[in-house]
Amino acid sequence: MTAAISSRESILGRIRSAIQTPGMGLADAAVAYGALPRGYIQAGKLSREGTIALLIERLREYDAEVVECTPEELPAAIAAQLAASAKHTFVAPPGLPPSWLATGFDWKIDNDLDTAEIEKVDGVLTAATCAVADSGTIVLHHGPTEGRRVISLLPDWHLCILLASQVVETLPEYFDRVEQPPALATYISGPSATADIEMTRIKGVHGPRFLHVILVRDPDSPTQAPAMRPADTAPHKGR
Amino acid sequence: MTQSVADHPILDPRFAPPFPQAVLPVLRNPQLRKNVAHAIDVIQAKRGRLVAEKTDWQELRTAGSALRAHVLENLGTYLEQFESRCTAAGGHVHWAADAAEARQITLDLLRQHNASDVIKIKTMTSAEIQLNPFLEAQGVHAHETDLAEIILQLGEQEPSHIVVPALHINRSQVREIFARTMGLKNLSDDPKELTNAARRYLRQKFLTIPTAISGANYLIAETGGVGIVESEGNGRMCLTLPQTMITIAGIEKVLPRFQDLEIMLQVLARSATGERMNPYTSLWSGVTPGDGPQNFHVILLDNGRSEMLRRPVERQTLKCIRCAACMNTCPVYRQTGGHAYGSVYPGPIGAILTPQLMHMHHAQSLPYASSLCGACYEVCPVKINIPEVLLELRSQVVNQERRQVGRVFDLMYIGLRMANFLFTSAWRFHLAQRLGRIGARLVTRKDGWIHSLPSIGGKWTQTRDLRGLPDQTFHEWWAARAKEAK
Ligand code: SF4
């Protein structure tokens, strides 16, 4: 272990002697950091409707299937999607509202399920943390309603429930909403894909091949979406 | 590490032939050139469209450039912060001064976890330290999981690009490799079928091999987190299913804060693959109970990087986020593909990075593998002035060369020393001009042009003509004019 310690010291020593600003600590770095240019677009200019329309357009470009519904219609909309999938066994994270788990299907609730068991299910149902319209990105922070990373990875079919109030236009708007950086996060922009063979885009290499999204038209204020608003997001973050 | 098979490119800068020699087989291989040009045309067209739609592209570049420069100016501070936060989150941080140490730390960790097989997410850093052949020799089999990397590994080929490393291989060549190595006789060359073959081939490996190795796109100082961007989901598999994860990252990969991703993620995919966002981005900090690997190690690799910090011109090299936009736009890379660079880092970034990683002891021909057109600087999302670095490295190469004993009698250096002698004094210069004019008469033809020069000057006139020297220099004309005016 002594060798490792000395490499640490020698690397840091070389860095410090190369940059020649001794005494530079986190506090000084923070001052310089605060002065960095950030002239790029922060908040988007689209209306709520425009933002949602853009997100739907982007998701469809990625071959995701998108349907819209009201909060009251949601359980029925979920059931319809599940039925249309012609699949039977689904995995779900432990925090979903019971009304989402439509009857007539085989539900595996992920309380530390074995990988082998998750590998056998046909599909997965999760909520989301946020969505970014500009890039068609769905954000998962893997809380109780989004579940462990493995459940939205192994099944071939993913149904994701998104609230309209969770949709932002630009990526910086998402980062503004994050108060505490999450320990785990996955940003999904379209289904798994590769272009490694002659730049031909092929859908579905390892992740889910089919992404379905139900966009729920909830009231516009994030505070009015209690069940869905993940604990680790908040409307504002100081820079 | 000796490899001498002539038709196998040598991607070890210590043994690779110089660039002008290495390009010859490529230039004579029309299939390879066609494959490379096709792939690049596709990426370039997509990138062009998506960059054009981003109205704040230049502001993003400015922000990205300033952020990366700031990181390098405070690198020690941010690395220490990363180390303490990552450790607090349950990770283990190791420091490797060079490639050999990084390989050894990796091997020791694998031995600790009794790993005989390991799955890998595509990582340039591991290619840089030549990890796979080392592990193989130590009895650990590394399984690549990125589609392009599988093609290369099974086909025993070398990468030729940092984002799409198998772009020099076309579909029928992939079919041949998969059919042979996976025992699939009836495989067609449809990319969809080939991709499915890879999916099936890897599924069992993902589910059974408990140890994984990755690189990192970002280390986040504020959270101790690591970020990986990818397209296929092989990365998510490796980050989720195994029990042990070893991440090897260059020390320059650090970003100060989580929020900085809002810049990097907006420029990276657009520059790299011409997408608004890559399909999957994964972020994790240390260990999360019940989710993903429960043993997490980060190896911070120096391997020549800290030396590059010394001077601002060369330091820029470390701002790189490995998007490959510079090679996609480079007129030289387009003709040669990646192998001629003799390094896992080809193209303009390779031309400045590789010789510096070699402490300027190898790959000295690479700074010359450029027309200095500046296209790379223009596309670089973090505004690395690659031509400026190329010129600086060229001057270092020349300074090295002219001190070598053998070079003292080299005609070029004798000529340059003479020029230096003549150009540093006005009267010597004027005398030389007069003598030169007399000498030039001997080689100037009736049409006023010099079509061929003697000795090494002949190399210049091999491909171009020179205008003969005028009877009067500007200086003489000016002096004469002044006299007349009086
Ligand atoms: S030098 Fe710039 S353009 Fe080239 S790979 Fe690095 S970041 Fe991309």
Side-chain angles (χ1 to χ4, degrees):
Chain A
M1 229 35 217
T2 45
I5 289 167
S6 78
S7 278
R8 177 185 189 280
E9 299 318 319
S10 70
I11 293 170
L12 285 171
R14 275 200 299 274
I15 292 172
R16 296 243 145 85
S17 82
I19 299 285
Q20 284 175 345
T21 42
M24 275 284 263
L26 264 181
D28 297 295
V31 173
Y33 179 89
L36 290 176
R38 288 184 189 267
Y40 51 89
I41 295 170
Q42 299 286 337
K45 293 189 204 73
L46 293 175
S47 64
R48 285 306 303 159
E49 279 313 303
T51 304
I52 287 166
L54 178 64
L55 176 72
I56 293 176
E57 184 191 321
R58 292 282 192 258
L59 289 172
R60 289 195 174 136
E61 272 173 36
Y62 292 139
D63 303 325
E65 211 184 292
V66 189
V67 295
E68 294 177 76
C69 73
T70 64
E72 296 72 41
E73 292 163 351
L74 181 58
I78 292 174
Q81 286 288 320
L82 297 177
S85 75
K87 296 180 190 302
H88 190 68
T89 321
F90 297 92
V91 62
L96 293 185
S99 66
W100 290 17
L101 308 179
T103 51
F105 301 93
D106 191 2
W107 289 101
K108 304 253 183 262
I109 305 304
D110 179 38
N111 290 307
D112 270 323
L113 286 175
D114 258 10
T115 304
E117 226 168 321
I118 299 168
E119 167 75 356
K120 274 187 279 181
V121 305
D122 302 320
V124 55
L125 170 67
T126 73
T129 307
C130 179
V132 182
D134 179 48
S135 54
T137 302
I138 292 173
V139 175
L140 305 178
H141 283 188
H142 302 286
T145 57
E146 294 117 83
R148 295 191 301 150
R149 290 177 294 175
V150 62
I151 65 165
S152 47
L153 175 64
L154 286 183
D156 208 17
W157 190 93
H158 182 186
L159 175 58
C160 184
I161 314 300
L162 199 59
L163 301 185
S165 60
Q166 293 176 317
V167 181
V168 295
E169 185 187 333
T170 67
L171 194 63
E173 285 175 84
Y174 153 67
F175 280 95
D176 263 355
R177 282 192 177 196
V178 179
E179 201 163 57
Q180 265 297 315
L184 294 174
T186 307
Y187 305 155
I188 301 171
S189 310
S192 153
T194 183
D196 276 342
I197 302 173
E198 292 188 17
M199 305 312 294
T200 312
R201 192 169 189 275
I202 304 295
K203 204 173 81 163
V205 196
H206 304 297
R209 276 184 279 199
F210 305 95
L211 176 63
H212 294 245
V213 176
I214 299 179
L215 193 80
V216 186
R217 295 299 196 135
D218 61 337
D220 199 23
S221 157
T223 51
Q224 289 178 19
M228 290 294 307
R229 203 163 73 81
D232 48 4
T233 68
H236 290 294
K237 182 197 181 230
R239 237 170 240 283
Chain B
M1 250 333 273
T2 44
Q3 200 179 9
S4 57
V5 196
D7 55 343
H8 266 242
I10 305 168
L11 294 194
D12 184 332
R14 291 170 303 168
F15 307 114
F19 188 80
Q21 209 175 308
V23 291
L24 295 177
V26 186
L27 297 179
R28 289 191 212 104
N29 185 342
Q31 180 65 61
L32 184 93
R33 295 178 67 183
K34 207 174 129 203
N35 296 353
V36 172
H38 167 74
I40 283 181
D41 286 346
V42 175
I43 311 178
Q44 282 290 81
K46 282 166 66 187
R47 178 199 171 272
R49 268 200 307 279
L50 286 188
V51 165
E53 80 173 21
K54 200 83 187 126
T55 52
D56 57 346
W57 184 247
Q58 293 309 332
E59 286 78 11
L60 281 166
R61 285 182 76 215
T62 303
S65 168
L67 177 70
R68 294 293 300 145
H70 167 80
V71 164
L72 298 175
E73 277 155 28
N74 297 276
L75 190 57
T77 304
Y78 285 132
L79 282 172
E80 282 182 312
Q81 191 187 17
F82 171 81
E83 180 187 38
S84 76
R85 297 290 158 85
C86 179
T87 309
H92 302 275
V93 179
H94 311 259
W95 301 70
D98 55 22
E101 192 177 1
R103 291 191 296 253
Q104 194 57 46
I105 295 172
T106 310
L107 180 67
D108 291 346
L109 291 171
L110 292 173
R111 292 253 157 92
Q112 258 174 46
H113 295 286
N114 295 320
S116 59
D117 290 84
V118 59
I119 44 178
K120 283 183 73 196
I121 311 178
K122 173 178 163 354
T123 137
M124 292 311 303
T125 317
S126 122
E128 173 188 325
I129 64 171
Q130 302 178 336
L131 185 64
N132 288 8
F134 170 80
L135 292 182
E136 203 66 61
Q138 304 292 327
V140 181
H141 188 55
H143 305 267
E144 294 292 347
T145 63
D146 171 77
L147 179 57
E149 292 287 349
I150 303 168
I151 296 170
L152 297 176
Q153 191 173 39
L154 295 180
E156 296 181 24
Q157 299 242 1
E158 298 288 341
S160 70
H161 190 276
I162 61 172
V163 170
V164 268
L167 94 173
H168 60 286
I169 302 175
N170 67 17
R171 63 179 74 187
S172 65
Q173 293 164 320
V174 175
R175 192 210 76 86
E176 186 278 317
I177 293 169
F178 281 8
R180 178 163 48 83
T181 55
M182 296 180 187
L184 303 168
K185 298 240 156 32
N186 301 322
L187 201 62
S188 85
D189 68 357
D190 173 21
K192 192 169 179 109
E193 202 177 310
L194 296 170
T195 305
N196 275 336
R199 179 183 170 107
R200 284 191 304 272
Y201 173 80
L202 281 175
R203 196 76 177 185
Q204 218 39 44
K205 295 194 174 22
F206 286 135
L207 292 168
T208 53
I209 298 177
T211 317
I213 291 176
S214 81
N217 289 96
Y218 315 107
L219 306 173
I220 301 165
E222 171 191 41
T223 62
V226 182
I228 285 193
V229 305
E230 51 139 351
S231 299
E232 297 173 9
N234 62 311
R236 292 176 70 195
M237 291 282 186
C238 292
L239 294 172
T240 309
L241 299 174
Q243 273 307 301
T244 301
M245 164 59 69
I246 302 168
T247 295
I248 308 171
I251 51 172
E252 82 281 17
K253 290 283 176 189
V254 67
L255 295 176
R257 301 192 190 169
F258 177 66
Q259 190 163 21
D260 298 327
L261 291 170
E262 73 187 21
I263 304 171
M264 293 302 148
L265 291 177
Q266 288 198 79
V267 294
L268 181 57
R270 280 186 168 83
S271 299
T273 49
E275 294 169 301
R276 293 192 181 88
M277 186 84 103
N278 51 289
Y280 297 138
T281 299
S282 294
L283 301 160
W284 75 98
S285 302
V287 168
T288 303
D291 193 339
Q294 298 299 299
N295 312 302
F296 174 53
H297 299 270
V298 181
I299 301 172
L300 298 174
L301 174 73
D302 182 342
N303 202 29
R305 288 165 172 80
S306 55
E307 294 297 319
M308 293 181 218
L309 290 170
R310 215 163 276 283
R311 302 199 310 146
V313 173
E314 292 100 309
R315 189 188 301 158
Q316 297 179 69
T317 314
L318 295 176
K319 283 157 69 181
C320 177
I321 58 170
R322 305 281 189 270
C323 72
C326 55
M327 60 198 75
N328 296 338
T329 199
C330 177
V332 176
Y333 179 92
R334 193 193 153 82
Q335 298 302 325
T336 65
H339 291 154
Y341 292 79
S343 160
V344 296
Y345 301 110
I349 181 61
I352 60 172
L353 180 61
T354 306
Q356 296 188 80
L357 288 176
M358 295 283 116
H359 304 278
M360 298 306 289
H361 294 322
H362 302 281
Q364 290 100 330
S365 66
L366 291 186
Y368 293 90
S370 166
S371 67
L372 299 178
C373 71
C376 45
Y377 181 23
E378 207 172 292
V379 295
C380 178
V382 289
K383 288 194 186 173
I384 300 174
N385 189 338
I386 295 178
E388 186 187 26
V389 187
L390 284 167
L391 282 176
E392 167 57 34
L393 297 182
R394 284 183 188 187
S395 83
Q396 291 181 17
V397 171
V398 169
N399 278 334
Q400 249 180 22
E401 260 185 14
R402 69 192 178 124
R403 287 198 201 97
Q404 285 167 11
V405 187
R407 295 288 185 161
V408 174
F409 302 106
D410 188 302
L411 269 184
M412 184 178 82
Y413 284 99
I414 293 174
L416 287 171
R417 276 200 302 275
M418 266 168 57
N420 189 33
F421 175 73
L422 297 175
F423 289 179
T424 46
S425 128
W427 78 264
R428 284 200 294 262
F429 182 63
H430 290 309
L431 181 69
Q433 278 178 322
R434 252 174 255 138
L435 292 175
R437 225 177 297 153
I438 298 167
R441 270 187 217 132
L442 299 175
V443 286
T444 311
R445 301 267 182 83
K446 279 204 197 77
D447 59 2
W449 287 82
I450 299 170
H451 296 283
S452 76
L453 280 170
S455 179
I456 51 164
K459 281 193 185 164
W460 179 267
T461 47
Q462 229 170 36
T463 49
R464 38 178 117 50
D465 294 338
L466 275 176
R467 210 176 259 291
L469 294 178
D471 293 333
Q472 200 182 23
T473 66
F474 175 77
H475 204 266
E476 287 163 351
W477 172 80
W478 188 260
R481 182 178 162 278
K483 252 184 225 153
E484 269 167 34
K486 273 181 200 162

